Each structure stands twice: as C-alpha cells, then as structure tokens.
Amino acid sequence: MSLAIPSAPNSGLFKQGYQSYDSEDGAIIRNIEASRAISSTVQTSFGPYGRNKIVINHMQKMILTNDAATILKELDVVHPAAKLLVMACQQQEAEMGDGTNLVIILAGELLKKAEDLLRMGLKSSDIVQGYEKAQQFVLDTLEELEVDKVEDIRERDELSKAIRTVIASKQSGNEDLLTELVSEAVIAVMPKNPANFNVDNVRVVKIMGSSLEQSKVVKGMVLGRQPEGTVKRAEKARVGVFSSPIEASQTETKGTVLLHNAKEMLDFSKGEEKQLEGIIKELHDSGLRVVVAGSTLGELALHYLNRYGILVIKILSKFELRRLCRVIGATPLARLGAPMPDEMGKVDVVETIEIGGDRVTVFRQENEATRTATIVIRGATQNQLEDVERAVDDGVNVVKAITRDARLVAGAGAAEMQLMERINGFREKTPGLAQYAIKKYGEAFEVIPRTLAESAGLDATEVLTRLYAAHHSKDEDDWTTGVDVENDDGTGTLDAEDELVLDLLITKSWAIRLATEAARTVLSVDQIIVAKAAGGPKPPGPNPYWDED
C-alpha cells in the first residue's frame, strides 16, 4: 500500500506558483514591518535639517533629494502593503503638492503603535474602529487650532507666511531668497479670481553656473535656447507651431534619377528650392511672423525663413511645446503649410535676452488668462538645481492650496503636540476597547516633534519634556510652542506663531486623513494572495564580461 503524500491546502484552487500569506502566519505583523521599513527610509529626511538620500533608479540616473514623494517614486516598491503607503503619499502629492513625508511617517508610526496593541491581544477590528473615532476627533480639533490666516493673496508678506515654512523644509538657509522669488512669480500671474490660479503658469528654467543668489523671475515663458535664424525679436506676432520637420519632403521609397547633362542637374535642385520657397512664402502671406519647430529644421528652409523675416525657434521637448501652445493659443500642426486662422497663436513679444553667459528666448503675454512667469534658477550642479526646483514646485503648490483654504496652524511640531494633548482628554471619555487604540493614535503624533529634534541634533527626550509641559499648561499662549531646530536659546523650543513657523491647515488635515486611511487599510488586510508572475523565465541579459578570458 503506497503512502499518501499530503498536498498543500487549496492546491487545486489556484494555478501552480501562487503564494498565500494568512493571518495565522502573522500576515498583519509582516505587513506592518514592511510599511515601517518604508517609513523609516524617509523619516530621516523630515524637516529643515532632514538628510538627503542618493537614489540610483533603474535607468542608472542619480537623484539626490530629501523629498519623500521623489524618493518613493524612484524606488520600485513591490510589497503590496508598503505600496498602500506609497499610494497615499502620491495622493497627497497630487492633492496638495506638500506634506508627503508627514503622510508616510505618521502612517508608519500608527502601524507601529497598532503592532503593540495586537501583541497586547486586541483585535485589528477594535484598532481600526478606535483609529476611525480618533481621526474624526483630530480633524474637528484641528479646526480650532487656527492661529493665523493669509488675508490677501496678492500681498507679498502675507503670501510669504505660508510659503516660507514649506521651502525651508526642503532648502534650509535659502528659504528667504526662494520665498521672495516664488511670491514675485505667483503675484505676477495671479488672475482676478484667485480660485482660477493655475500652477502651470509658473515655470522653472534651470541654467547651470553662477550661484543661487543670481536667480531671478522673468515675466513670460523662457526657453533655454536662442532663435535659430537671424531674426531675434518679434512683436504682436502670429505664431505657427509645427510638430513636423520643416524641410523639403523626402519620398518614402528610394528612387533613382537619371540626369543627362548639367542643365538637368541644376533644374533638379532648383525645383526643390522653388517648392520649399513656395511653402515658406505661403506661411509669410498667411500672416505668420514666428515659427516654432517641434522637429528637425532644414538649412534651406532656414535660409528662406530668414529671407522672409520670420523668427524661428526649435523646441524638442513635447511638454514644452504643449505648454507653449497653451500660452499662445496655437494648435500644433503635423503638416507643413499655412495654418488656418484658428490654428495660429498670438504673442505680444518674443525677444532674446542674456542670463549669465547664456542667451535665452522669452515669449511674453500681457493677456491675463495666459500670463506666465518663469523662475530662472542658477546653481553649480545639476542635482542642486533639481532639488531647488522641487522646493519651488512645493511653494507654488501651496499657493494653489491657499486659494482653497487660507487658514494656518502652528508649525514646528506644535500643532501635533496640542492634538496629542487633546486626544488624551477625549480617550478618557470613550468607553470600551477603542480607548486603547485612541491613546496609541495620540502617541503616534509624538513622532513629528521627535524627528525634528533628532534631525537637528538636539536631545529629543529633553525637548519633548519641555513641549509636554508647555502644552499641558492652561495658558493658551503656550499651545504654539514647537521645536527650535536652530536652538538659539539652548532650550530647543520656540513660539511657532511669533517666529512665523506656520503650516497650512488644509495640508495637515489631508496628511492626517490619508495617513490614517493607509494605516487602517493595512490593518484590515488579513490575507495576501499573490498569483504567479506572467510569462516564462526571463531571457538572459547581455554579458558585460564577454571579451574577457
């Protein structure tokens, strides 16, 4: 009698090669550990003194940044539970453009506290329920912690209040200069109704060389190259945008031309010239004075464009071309020929200016709807320029958030400490097992001031003790006490309201909402089933050592 070999459970249910992780195998704990690994990766990058990370992506491009959204975008996270945190971070980036690191750190800490509760014997459903109640309480309480408001979005000092803290967290030391640039650019393009403000109207152009202090705002759209021909300036001009090559068309198939004498050879090249001149004359007669080429530009075509006094500039980036079309109101054409009147764009001024040693072209519009401002940033290295660009993008995104809700809360970890204090009072009034989860939810907020203090090199325990004492007092003036990363007076604390370290209420509210949502989703997963990857074995890659014996 043969011995029956026991088969794996559910072996006939799925295709061969599937993997299943059950709650009995500790799936929840493993998910929490994976999520914690993600949050601890970006935690050290939080705050003004956050550390930078060097990420080398799959294209072997080196990215140096302390921006959580960029780090996680370049890391290829495959764990399903950790991906939930990355998705929450991307949602925050899309919704607010700032506060991405806060989402990841807070979600990671909430899961760490949940792990303690699970080991105590609480069910994950009790924790999820407690977190839900605590989240609702926190979002309501946050409304009461408003300390200031951006009264007039067109006033530079008012706007700086909200932008400065955001830029300081990315570019500490340069925040005053960058805040000044962002405010100037935003005010230059702000429409009559601020709700219609479009973040795409503020662009960034990076020009290597010089120092950050030489950066400036140029009204109009700046392209990092000069026109191709001899015409360098045009005013009140009609613009044609061509995504097709501007040169004599070539046949699809190869052909042979038999020439009998020199006259035939001359006539052959002249026919090509006449055809091209006819096309350029057609463009000139239709009223075009500026041509934007999205592809190659032939030398003969350039000669005729110069002869007819048409300014021509080449833009090879599809994104730049699309943005320019929006600014001038043109339609990119895939054929070479005179555009219809509704396909042409209009521009008030096209001129070439010099920035540093580089000559750039500016397209300027006086019309309010298509007004554009460009922040030209200078710097020594490409990585530094890219990091400054990310800080500027965050600053511009904050302005968009201000148009939705202009209220501000105390920054530097002060709002989090006050929320923690209030949650403790709420927990005592909550019956049942949910109160344990609410207590841990409150404790999770401690990670923000602790991380700020640690990254600034302060004694975190001592600073937190002072913050607890200040926020526990009955005096409302102490409720805005936060972490002083500069540590000017040796206590490690400051009054965030007086020092103008302020955060947008709406950004914080979204971050708390998304972090709690991500944590609750991870906790409510009790089984992960992974199907076998599609396709057979991967083909072998090229051998880099093929020529060695």
PDB file of all heavy atoms in Angstrom, residues 19-36 79-82 84 111 115 118-119 124 519 521-530:
ATOM      1  N   GLN A  19       1.245  32.304  -4.152  1.00  0.00           N
ATOM      2  CA  GLN A  19       1.675  32.394  -2.747  1.00  0.00           C
ATOM      3  C   GLN A  19       0.538  32.977  -1.937  1.00  0.00           C
ATOM      4  O   GLN A  19      -0.167  33.874  -2.399  1.00  0.00           O
ATOM      5  CB  GLN A  19       2.888  33.320  -2.630  1.00  0.00           C
ATOM      6  CG  GLN A  19       4.130  32.758  -3.281  1.00  0.00           C
ATOM      7  CD  GLN A  19       5.186  33.854  -3.405  1.00  0.00           C
ATOM      8  OE1 GLN A  19       4.974  34.832  -4.112  1.00  0.00           O
ATOM      9  NE2 GLN A  19       6.283  33.704  -2.705  1.00  0.00           N
ATOM     10  N   SER A  20       0.373  32.461  -0.731  1.00  0.00           N
ATOM     11  CA  SER A  20      -0.702  32.973   0.128  1.00  0.00           C
ATOM     12  C   SER A  20      -0.144  33.213   1.515  1.00  0.00           C
ATOM     13  O   SER A  20       0.568  32.359   2.068  1.00  0.00           O
ATOM     14  CB  SER A  20      -1.836  31.946   0.188  1.00  0.00           C
ATOM     15  OG  SER A  20      -2.790  32.355   1.138  1.00  0.00           O
ATOM     16  N   TYR A  21      -0.421  34.389   2.072  1.00  0.00           N
ATOM     17  CA  TYR A  21       0.030  34.727   3.432  1.00  0.00           C
ATOM     18  C   TYR A  21      -1.230  34.928   4.280  1.00  0.00           C
ATOM     19  O   TYR A  21      -2.010  35.845   4.014  1.00  0.00           O
ATOM     20  CB  TYR A  21       0.864  36.004   3.425  1.00  0.00           C
ATOM     21  CG  TYR A  21       2.022  35.968   2.449  1.00  0.00           C
ATOM     22  CD1 TYR A  21       1.952  36.651   1.234  1.00  0.00           C
ATOM     23  CD2 TYR A  21       3.179  35.250   2.726  1.00  0.00           C
ATOM     24  CE1 TYR A  21       2.997  36.614   0.323  1.00  0.00           C
ATOM     25  CE2 TYR A  21       4.236  35.205   1.828  1.00  0.00           C
ATOM     26  CZ  TYR A  21       4.140  35.888   0.633  1.00  0.00           C
ATOM     27  OH  TYR A  21       5.186  35.847  -0.262  1.00  0.00           O
ATOM     28  N   ASP A  22      -1.415  34.066   5.278  1.00  0.00           N
ATOM     29  CA  ASP A  22      -2.614  34.142   6.129  1.00  0.00           C
ATOM     30  C   ASP A  22      -2.329  34.906   7.400  1.00  0.00           C
ATOM     31  O   ASP A  22      -1.186  35.125   7.786  1.00  0.00           O
ATOM     32  CB  ASP A  22      -3.089  32.727   6.508  1.00  0.00           C
ATOM     33  CG  ASP A  22      -3.733  32.021   5.321  1.00  0.00           C
ATOM     34  OD1 ASP A  22      -4.286  32.757   4.486  1.00  0.00           O
ATOM     35  OD2 ASP A  22      -3.649  30.796   5.227  1.00  0.00           O
ATOM     36  N   SER A  23      -3.425  35.292   8.106  1.00  0.00           N
ATOM     37  CA  SER A  23      -3.263  35.996   9.378  1.00  0.00           C
ATOM     38  C   SER A  23      -2.634  35.074  10.413  1.00  0.00           C
ATOM     39  O   SER A  23      -1.949  35.522  11.324  1.00  0.00           O
ATOM     40  CB  SER A  23      -4.616  36.521   9.875  1.00  0.00           C
ATOM     41  OG  SER A  23      -5.555  35.485   9.874  1.00  0.00           O
ATOM     42  N   GLU A  24      -2.862  33.738  10.256  1.00  0.00           N
ATOM     43  CA  GLU A  24      -2.254  32.795  11.212  1.00  0.00           C
ATOM     44  C   GLU A  24      -0.728  32.814  11.077  1.00  0.00           C
ATOM     45  O   GLU A  24      -0.013  32.549  12.035  1.00  0.00           O
ATOM     46  CB  GLU A  24      -2.767  31.357  10.961  1.00  0.00           C
ATOM     47  CG  GLU A  24      -4.191  31.112  11.402  1.00  0.00           C
ATOM     48  CD  GLU A  24      -5.207  31.676  10.409  1.00  0.00           C
ATOM     49  OE1 GLU A  24      -4.910  31.699   9.206  1.00  0.00           O
ATOM     50  OE2 GLU A  24      -6.278  32.119  10.858  1.00  0.00           O
ATOM     51  N   ASP A  25      -0.263  33.103   9.857  1.00  0.00           N
ATOM     52  CA  ASP A  25       1.198  33.156   9.653  1.00  0.00           C
ATOM     53  C   ASP A  25       1.758  34.514  10.068  1.00  0.00           C
ATOM     54  O   ASP A  25       2.921  34.809   9.819  1.00  0.00           O
ATOM     55  CB  ASP A  25       1.546  32.945   8.163  1.00  0.00           C
ATOM     56  CG  ASP A  25       0.887  31.718   7.589  1.00  0.00           C
ATOM     57  OD1 ASP A  25       0.620  30.804   8.376  1.00  0.00           O
ATOM     58  OD2 ASP A  25       0.631  31.673   6.364  1.00  0.00           O
ATOM     59  N   GLY A  26       0.922  35.352  10.625  1.00  0.00           N
ATOM     60  CA  GLY A  26       1.377  36.691  11.036  1.00  0.00           C
ATOM     61  C   GLY A  26       1.420  37.655   9.878  1.00  0.00           C
ATOM     62  O   GLY A  26       2.324  38.483   9.780  1.00  0.00           O
ATOM     63  N   ALA A  27       0.431  37.559   8.962  1.00  0.00           N
ATOM     64  CA  ALA A  27       0.430  38.433   7.771  1.00  0.00           C
ATOM     65  C   ALA A  27       0.346  39.897   8.172  1.00  0.00           C
ATOM     66  O   ALA A  27       1.024  40.743   7.591  1.00  0.00           O
ATOM     67  CB  ALA A  27      -0.722  38.066   6.856  1.00  0.00           C
ATOM     68  N   ILE A  28      -0.492  40.209   9.185  1.00  0.00           N
ATOM     69  CA  ILE A  28      -0.653  41.620   9.587  1.00  0.00           C
ATOM     70  C   ILE A  28       0.678  42.164  10.109  1.00  0.00           C
ATOM     71  O   ILE A  28       1.096  43.266   9.737  1.00  0.00           O
ATOM     72  CB  ILE A  28      -1.751  41.775  10.672  1.00  0.00           C
ATOM     73  CG1 ILE A  28      -3.122  41.422  10.078  1.00  0.00           C
ATOM     74  CG2 ILE A  28      -1.774  43.197  11.215  1.00  0.00           C
ATOM     75  CD1 ILE A  28      -4.279  41.592  11.026  1.00  0.00           C
ATOM     76  N   ILE A  29       1.351  41.358  10.964  1.00  0.00           N
ATOM     77  CA  ILE A  29       2.633  41.816  11.533  1.00  0.00           C
ATOM     78  C   ILE A  29       3.647  42.026  10.415  1.00  0.00           C
ATOM     79  O   ILE A  29       4.394  43.010  10.411  1.00  0.00           O
ATOM     80  CB  ILE A  29       3.169  40.784  12.571  1.00  0.00           C
ATOM     81  CG1 ILE A  29       2.160  40.573  13.716  1.00  0.00           C
ATOM     82  CG2 ILE A  29       4.530  41.199  13.111  1.00  0.00           C
ATOM     83  CD1 ILE A  29       1.913  41.776  14.593  1.00  0.00           C
ATOM     84  N   ARG A  30       3.665  41.108   9.441  1.00  0.00           N
ATOM     85  CA  ARG A  30       4.619  41.238   8.330  1.00  0.00           C
ATOM     86  C   ARG A  30       4.320  42.468   7.484  1.00  0.00           C
ATOM     87  O   ARG A  30       5.213  43.163   7.012  1.00  0.00           O
ATOM     88  CB  ARG A  30       4.581  39.967   7.460  1.00  0.00           C
ATOM     89  CG  ARG A  30       5.291  38.796   8.106  1.00  0.00           C
ATOM     90  CD  ARG A  30       6.178  38.091   7.091  1.00  0.00           C
ATOM     91  NE  ARG A  30       5.358  37.360   6.127  1.00  0.00           N
ATOM     92  CZ  ARG A  30       5.028  36.084   6.267  1.00  0.00           C
ATOM     93  NH1 ARG A  30       5.428  35.414   7.313  1.00  0.00           N
ATOM     94  NH2 ARG A  30       4.293  35.478   5.358  1.00  0.00           N
ATOM     95  N   ASN A  31       3.040  42.748   7.287  1.00  0.00           N
ATOM     96  CA  ASN A  31       2.652  43.954   6.532  1.00  0.00           C
ATOM     97  C   ASN A  31       3.102  45.203   7.270  1.00  0.00           C
ATOM     98  O   ASN A  31       3.566  46.168   6.655  1.00  0.00           O
ATOM     99  CB  ASN A  31       1.128  44.003   6.355  1.00  0.00           C
ATOM    100  CG  ASN A  31       0.636  42.939   5.403  1.00  0.00           C
ATOM    101  OD1 ASN A  31       1.423  42.320   4.707  1.00  0.00           O
ATOM    102  ND2 ASN A  31      -0.665  42.717   5.380  1.00  0.00           N
ATOM    103  N   ILE A  32       2.924  45.183   8.596  1.00  0.00           N
ATOM    104  CA  ILE A  32       3.333  46.352   9.402  1.00  0.00           C
ATOM    105  C   ILE A  32       4.834  46.542   9.298  1.00  0.00           C
ATOM    106  O   ILE A  32       5.320  47.670   9.148  1.00  0.00           O
ATOM    107  CB  ILE A  32       2.883  46.174  10.870  1.00  0.00           C
ATOM    108  CG1 ILE A  32       1.354  46.291  10.968  1.00  0.00           C
ATOM    109  CG2 ILE A  32       3.555  47.196  11.777  1.00  0.00           C
ATOM    110  CD1 ILE A  32       0.771  45.980  12.329  1.00  0.00           C
ATOM    111  N   GLU A  33       5.581  45.437   9.340  1.00  0.00           N
ATOM    112  CA  GLU A  33       7.051  45.544   9.274  1.00  0.00           C
ATOM    113  C   GLU A  33       7.490  46.135   7.925  1.00  0.00           C
ATOM    114  O   GLU A  33       8.392  46.965   7.871  1.00  0.00           O
ATOM    115  CB  GLU A  33       7.692  44.163   9.477  1.00  0.00           C
ATOM    116  CG  GLU A  33       7.748  43.768  10.946  1.00  0.00           C
ATOM    117  CD  GLU A  33       8.085  42.290  11.149  1.00  0.00           C
ATOM    118  OE1 GLU A  33       8.363  41.598  10.143  1.00  0.00           O
ATOM    119  OE2 GLU A  33       8.055  41.838  12.308  1.00  0.00           O
ATOM    120  N   ALA A  34       6.832  45.704   6.849  1.00  0.00           N
ATOM    121  CA  ALA A  34       7.178  46.230   5.510  1.00  0.00           C
ATOM    122  C   ALA A  34       6.869  47.720   5.433  1.00  0.00           C
ATOM    123  O   ALA A  34       7.658  48.510   4.895  1.00  0.00           O
ATOM    124  CB  ALA A  34       6.395  45.476   4.444  1.00  0.00           C
ATOM    125  N   SER A  35       5.723  48.123   5.995  1.00  0.00           N
ATOM    126  CA  SER A  35       5.337  49.544   5.974  1.00  0.00           C
ATOM    127  C   SER A  35       6.280  50.373   6.837  1.00  0.00           C
ATOM    128  O   SER A  35       6.617  51.507   6.492  1.00  0.00           O
ATOM    129  CB  SER A  35       3.901  49.704   6.480  1.00  0.00           C
ATOM    130  OG  SER A  35       3.042  48.871   5.753  1.00  0.00           O
ATOM    131  N   ARG A  36       6.708  49.789   7.955  1.00  0.00           N
ATOM    132  CA  ARG A  36       7.644  50.501   8.841  1.00  0.00           C
ATOM    133  C   ARG A  36       8.984  50.722   8.137  1.00  0.00           C
ATOM    134  O   ARG A  36       9.623  51.745   8.314  1.00  0.00           O
ATOM    135  CB  ARG A  36       7.886  49.689  10.125  1.00  0.00           C
ATOM    136  CG  ARG A  36       6.755  49.706  11.104  1.00  0.00           C
ATOM    137  CD  ARG A  36       6.683  50.979  11.930  1.00  0.00           C
ATOM    138  NE  ARG A  36       7.901  51.217  12.681  1.00  0.00           N
ATOM    139  CZ  ARG A  36       8.475  52.409  12.804  1.00  0.00           C
ATOM    140  NH1 ARG A  36       7.943  53.458  12.219  1.00  0.00           N
ATOM    141  NH2 ARG A  36       9.571  52.572  13.519  1.00  0.00           N
ATOM    142  N   HIS A  79       6.262  45.304  -2.364  1.00  0.00           N
ATOM    143  CA  HIS A  79       5.421  44.700  -1.314  1.00  0.00           C
ATOM    144  C   HIS A  79       4.023  45.334  -1.346  1.00  0.00           C
ATOM    145  O   HIS A  79       3.888  46.552  -1.300  1.00  0.00           O
ATOM    146  CB  HIS A  79       6.061  44.905   0.059  1.00  0.00           C
ATOM    147  CG  HIS A  79       5.430  44.075   1.133  1.00  0.00           C
ATOM    148  ND1 HIS A  79       4.212  44.396   1.684  1.00  0.00           N
ATOM    149  CD2 HIS A  79       5.828  42.924   1.726  1.00  0.00           C
ATOM    150  CE1 HIS A  79       3.904  43.481   2.592  1.00  0.00           C
ATOM    151  NE2 HIS A  79       4.871  42.577   2.633  1.00  0.00           N
ATOM    152  N   PRO A  80       2.952  44.511  -1.419  1.00  0.00           N
ATOM    153  CA  PRO A  80       1.601  45.074  -1.585  1.00  0.00           C
ATOM    154  C   PRO A  80       1.179  46.026  -0.467  1.00  0.00           C
ATOM    155  O   PRO A  80       0.555  47.052  -0.730  1.00  0.00           O
ATOM    156  CB  PRO A  80       0.678  43.848  -1.617  1.00  0.00           C
ATOM    157  CG  PRO A  80       1.556  42.665  -1.773  1.00  0.00           C
ATOM    158  CD  PRO A  80       2.923  43.041  -1.381  1.00  0.00           C
ATOM    159  N   ALA A  81       1.532  45.715   0.798  1.00  0.00           N
ATOM    160  CA  ALA A  81       1.116  46.570   1.922  1.00  0.00           C
ATOM    161  C   ALA A  81       1.897  47.886   1.907  1.00  0.00           C
ATOM    162  O   ALA A  81       1.332  48.963   2.135  1.00  0.00           O
ATOM    163  CB  ALA A  81       1.325  45.841   3.245  1.00  0.00           C
ATOM    164  N   ALA A  82       3.206  47.801   1.623  1.00  0.00           N
ATOM    165  CA  ALA A  82       4.027  49.018   1.570  1.00  0.00           C
ATOM    166  C   ALA A  82       3.571  49.914   0.419  1.00  0.00           C
ATOM    167  O   ALA A  82       3.653  51.137   0.497  1.00  0.00           O
ATOM    168  CB  ALA A  82       5.496  48.650   1.414  1.00  0.00           C
ATOM    169  N   LEU A  84       0.611  50.479  -0.440  1.00  0.00           N
ATOM    170  CA  LEU A  84      -0.534  51.285   0.015  1.00  0.00           C
ATOM    171  C   LEU A  84      -0.063  52.618   0.581  1.00  0.00           C
ATOM    172  O   LEU A  84      -0.675  53.658   0.361  1.00  0.00           O
ATOM    173  CB  LEU A  84      -1.337  50.522   1.085  1.00  0.00           C
ATOM    174  CG  LEU A  84      -2.117  49.303   0.581  1.00  0.00           C
ATOM    175  CD1 LEU A  84      -2.625  48.480   1.749  1.00  0.00           C
ATOM    176  CD2 LEU A  84      -3.296  49.733  -0.284  1.00  0.00           C
ATOM    177  N   LEU A 111       1.062  52.422  12.519  1.00  0.00           N
ATOM    178  CA  LEU A 111       1.153  50.966  12.391  1.00  0.00           C
ATOM    179  C   LEU A 111       2.053  50.369  13.464  1.00  0.00           C
ATOM    180  O   LEU A 111       1.801  49.268  13.960  1.00  0.00           O
ATOM    181  CB  LEU A 111       1.672  50.592  10.990  1.00  0.00           C
ATOM    182  CG  LEU A 111       0.676  50.848   9.858  1.00  0.00           C
ATOM    183  CD1 LEU A 111       1.352  50.753   8.507  1.00  0.00           C
ATOM    184  CD2 LEU A 111      -0.480  49.865   9.928  1.00  0.00           C
ATOM    185  N   GLU A 115       0.868  47.625  16.220  1.00  0.00           N
ATOM    186  CA  GLU A 115       1.550  46.347  16.479  1.00  0.00           C
ATOM    187  C   GLU A 115       1.604  46.060  17.980  1.00  0.00           C
ATOM    188  O   GLU A 115       1.377  44.925  18.423  1.00  0.00           O
ATOM    189  CB  GLU A 115       2.966  46.398  15.893  1.00  0.00           C
ATOM    190  CG  GLU A 115       3.659  45.065  15.906  1.00  0.00           C
ATOM    191  CD  GLU A 115       5.076  45.136  15.332  1.00  0.00           C
ATOM    192  OE1 GLU A 115       5.451  46.162  14.748  1.00  0.00           O
ATOM    193  OE2 GLU A 115       5.790  44.134  15.482  1.00  0.00           O
ATOM    194  N   LEU A 118      -1.766  44.850  19.001  1.00  0.00           N
ATOM    195  CA  LEU A 118      -2.020  43.477  18.551  1.00  0.00           C
ATOM    196  C   LEU A 118      -1.320  42.474  19.467  1.00  0.00           C
ATOM    197  O   LEU A 118      -1.861  41.419  19.793  1.00  0.00           O
ATOM    198  CB  LEU A 118      -1.532  43.287  17.104  1.00  0.00           C
ATOM    199  CG  LEU A 118      -2.375  43.956  16.010  1.00  0.00           C
ATOM    200  CD1 LEU A 118      -1.624  43.950  14.687  1.00  0.00           C
ATOM    201  CD2 LEU A 118      -3.714  43.242  15.844  1.00  0.00           C
ATOM    202  N   ARG A 119      -0.107  42.824  19.885  1.00  0.00           N
ATOM    203  CA  ARG A 119       0.631  41.930  20.781  1.00  0.00           C
ATOM    204  C   ARG A 119      -0.012  41.887  22.170  1.00  0.00           C
ATOM    205  O   ARG A 119       0.138  40.910  22.904  1.00  0.00           O
ATOM    206  CB  ARG A 119       2.095  42.370  20.882  1.00  0.00           C
ATOM    207  CG  ARG A 119       2.834  42.231  19.553  1.00  0.00           C
ATOM    208  CD  ARG A 119       4.332  42.316  19.718  1.00  0.00           C
ATOM    209  NE  ARG A 119       5.026  42.433  18.439  1.00  0.00           N
ATOM    210  CZ  ARG A 119       5.234  41.428  17.590  1.00  0.00           C
ATOM    211  NH1 ARG A 119       4.790  40.230  17.863  1.00  0.00           N
ATOM    212  NH2 ARG A 119       5.883  41.629  16.461  1.00  0.00           N
ATOM    213  N   SER A 124      -7.704  43.410  15.374  1.00  0.00           N
ATOM    214  CA  SER A 124      -7.432  44.508  14.432  1.00  0.00           C
ATOM    215  C   SER A 124      -8.693  45.336  14.188  1.00  0.00           C
ATOM    216  O   SER A 124      -8.617  46.539  13.937  1.00  0.00           O
ATOM    217  CB  SER A 124      -6.874  43.972  13.118  1.00  0.00           C
ATOM    218  OG  SER A 124      -7.772  43.077  12.525  1.00  0.00           O
ATOM    219  N   ALA A 519      -3.104  53.461   7.178  1.00  0.00           N
ATOM    220  CA  ALA A 519      -2.866  52.572   8.331  1.00  0.00           C
ATOM    221  C   ALA A 519      -4.058  51.643   8.541  1.00  0.00           C
ATOM    222  O   ALA A 519      -3.897  50.439   8.771  1.00  0.00           O
ATOM    223  CB  ALA A 519      -2.601  53.406   9.577  1.00  0.00           C
ATOM    224  N   THR A 521      -6.237  50.672   6.337  1.00  0.00           N
ATOM    225  CA  THR A 521      -6.320  49.706   5.232  1.00  0.00           C
ATOM    226  C   THR A 521      -5.347  48.551   5.458  1.00  0.00           C
ATOM    227  O   THR A 521      -5.696  47.384   5.273  1.00  0.00           O
ATOM    228  CB  THR A 521      -5.997  50.397   3.885  1.00  0.00           C
ATOM    229  OG1 THR A 521      -6.783  51.578   3.784  1.00  0.00           O
ATOM    230  CG2 THR A 521      -6.297  49.504   2.712  1.00  0.00           C
ATOM    231  N   VAL A 522      -4.110  48.874   5.865  1.00  0.00           N
ATOM    232  CA  VAL A 522      -3.111  47.828   6.111  1.00  0.00           C
ATOM    233  C   VAL A 522      -3.576  46.916   7.250  1.00  0.00           C
ATOM    234  O   VAL A 522      -3.425  45.692   7.186  1.00  0.00           O
ATOM    235  CB  VAL A 522      -1.734  48.454   6.435  1.00  0.00           C
ATOM    236  CG1 VAL A 522      -0.748  47.393   6.915  1.00  0.00           C
ATOM    237  CG2 VAL A 522      -1.176  49.171   5.215  1.00  0.00           C
ATOM    238  N   LEU A 523      -4.178  47.514   8.299  1.00  0.00           N
ATOM    239  CA  LEU A 523      -4.615  46.719   9.459  1.00  0.00           C
ATOM    240  C   LEU A 523      -5.811  45.829   9.131  1.00  0.00           C
ATOM    241  O   LEU A 523      -6.011  44.793   9.761  1.00  0.00           O
ATOM    242  CB  LEU A 523      -4.987  47.645  10.625  1.00  0.00           C
ATOM    243  CG  LEU A 523      -3.814  48.346  11.304  1.00  0.00           C
ATOM    244  CD1 LEU A 523      -4.317  49.379  12.280  1.00  0.00           C
ATOM    245  CD2 LEU A 523      -2.928  47.348  12.016  1.00  0.00           C
ATOM    246  N   SER A 524      -6.624  46.233   8.160  1.00  0.00           N
ATOM    247  CA  SER A 524      -7.817  45.436   7.858  1.00  0.00           C
ATOM    248  C   SER A 524      -7.534  44.331   6.835  1.00  0.00           C
ATOM    249  O   SER A 524      -8.429  43.610   6.438  1.00  0.00           O
ATOM    250  CB  SER A 524      -8.947  46.336   7.369  1.00  0.00           C
ATOM    251  OG  SER A 524      -8.507  47.096   6.277  1.00  0.00           O
ATOM    252  N   VAL A 525      -6.265  44.188   6.413  1.00  0.00           N
ATOM    253  CA  VAL A 525      -5.890  43.104   5.488  1.00  0.00           C
ATOM    254  C   VAL A 525      -5.469  41.902   6.319  1.00  0.00           C
ATOM    255  O   VAL A 525      -4.599  42.017   7.174  1.00  0.00           O
ATOM    256  CB  VAL A 525      -4.712  43.551   4.571  1.00  0.00           C
ATOM    257  CG1 VAL A 525      -4.188  42.370   3.758  1.00  0.00           C
ATOM    258  CG2 VAL A 525      -5.141  44.669   3.662  1.00  0.00           C
ATOM    259  N   ASP A 526      -6.092  40.737   6.101  1.00  0.00           N
ATOM    260  CA  ASP A 526      -5.679  39.565   6.887  1.00  0.00           C
ATOM    261  C   ASP A 526      -5.076  38.470   6.013  1.00  0.00           C
ATOM    262  O   ASP A 526      -4.595  37.470   6.511  1.00  0.00           O
ATOM    263  CB  ASP A 526      -6.861  39.012   7.704  1.00  0.00           C
ATOM    264  CG  ASP A 526      -7.829  38.224   6.833  1.00  0.00           C
ATOM    265  OD1 ASP A 526      -7.950  38.615   5.652  1.00  0.00           O
ATOM    266  OD2 ASP A 526      -8.446  37.267   7.320  1.00  0.00           O
ATOM    267  N   GLN A 527      -5.124  38.641   4.697  1.00  0.00           N
ATOM    268  CA  GLN A 527      -4.529  37.631   3.826  1.00  0.00           C
ATOM    269  C   GLN A 527      -4.096  38.275   2.520  1.00  0.00           C
ATOM    270  O   GLN A 527      -4.792  39.123   1.972  1.00  0.00           O
ATOM    271  CB  GLN A 527      -5.556  36.526   3.540  1.00  0.00           C
ATOM    272  CG  GLN A 527      -4.956  35.342   2.791  1.00  0.00           C
ATOM    273  CD  GLN A 527      -5.961  34.222   2.622  1.00  0.00           C
ATOM    274  OE1 GLN A 527      -7.152  34.418   2.821  1.00  0.00           O
ATOM    275  NE2 GLN A 527      -5.498  33.039   2.260  1.00  0.00           N
ATOM    276  N   ILE A 528      -2.910  37.876   2.054  1.00  0.00           N
ATOM    277  CA  ILE A 528      -2.421  38.361   0.754  1.00  0.00           C
ATOM    278  C   ILE A 528      -2.223  37.150  -0.135  1.00  0.00           C
ATOM    279  O   ILE A 528      -1.539  36.189   0.257  1.00  0.00           O
ATOM    280  CB  ILE A 528      -1.086  39.135   0.894  1.00  0.00           C
ATOM    281  CG1 ILE A 528      -1.281  40.402   1.720  1.00  0.00           C
ATOM    282  CG2 ILE A 528      -0.531  39.507  -0.474  1.00  0.00           C
ATOM    283  CD1 ILE A 528      -0.016  41.178   1.967  1.00  0.00           C
ATOM    284  N   ILE A 529      -2.850  37.150  -1.301  1.00  0.00           N
ATOM    285  CA  ILE A 529      -2.686  36.053  -2.257  1.00  0.00           C
ATOM    286  C   ILE A 529      -1.989  36.635  -3.484  1.00  0.00           C
ATOM    287  O   ILE A 529      -2.483  37.581  -4.095  1.00  0.00           O
ATOM    288  CB  ILE A 529      -4.054  35.448  -2.653  1.00  0.00           C
ATOM    289  CG1 ILE A 529      -4.764  34.926  -1.409  1.00  0.00           C
ATOM    290  CG2 ILE A 529      -3.884  34.344  -3.680  1.00  0.00           C
ATOM    291  CD1 ILE A 529      -6.234  34.676  -1.599  1.00  0.00           C
ATOM    292  N   VAL A 530      -0.827  36.078  -3.800  1.00  0.00           N
ATOM    293  CA  VAL A 530      -0.045  36.586  -4.934  1.00  0.00           C
ATOM    294  C   VAL A 530      -0.045  35.534  -6.025  1.00  0.00           C
ATOM    295  O   VAL A 530       0.400  34.403  -5.806  1.00  0.00           O
ATOM    296  CB  VAL A 530       1.412  36.896  -4.507  1.00  0.00           C
ATOM    297  CG1 VAL A 530       2.191  37.509  -5.664  1.00  0.00           C
ATOM    298  CG2 VAL A 530       1.440  37.809  -3.300  1.00  0.00           C
TER     299      VAL A 530
END
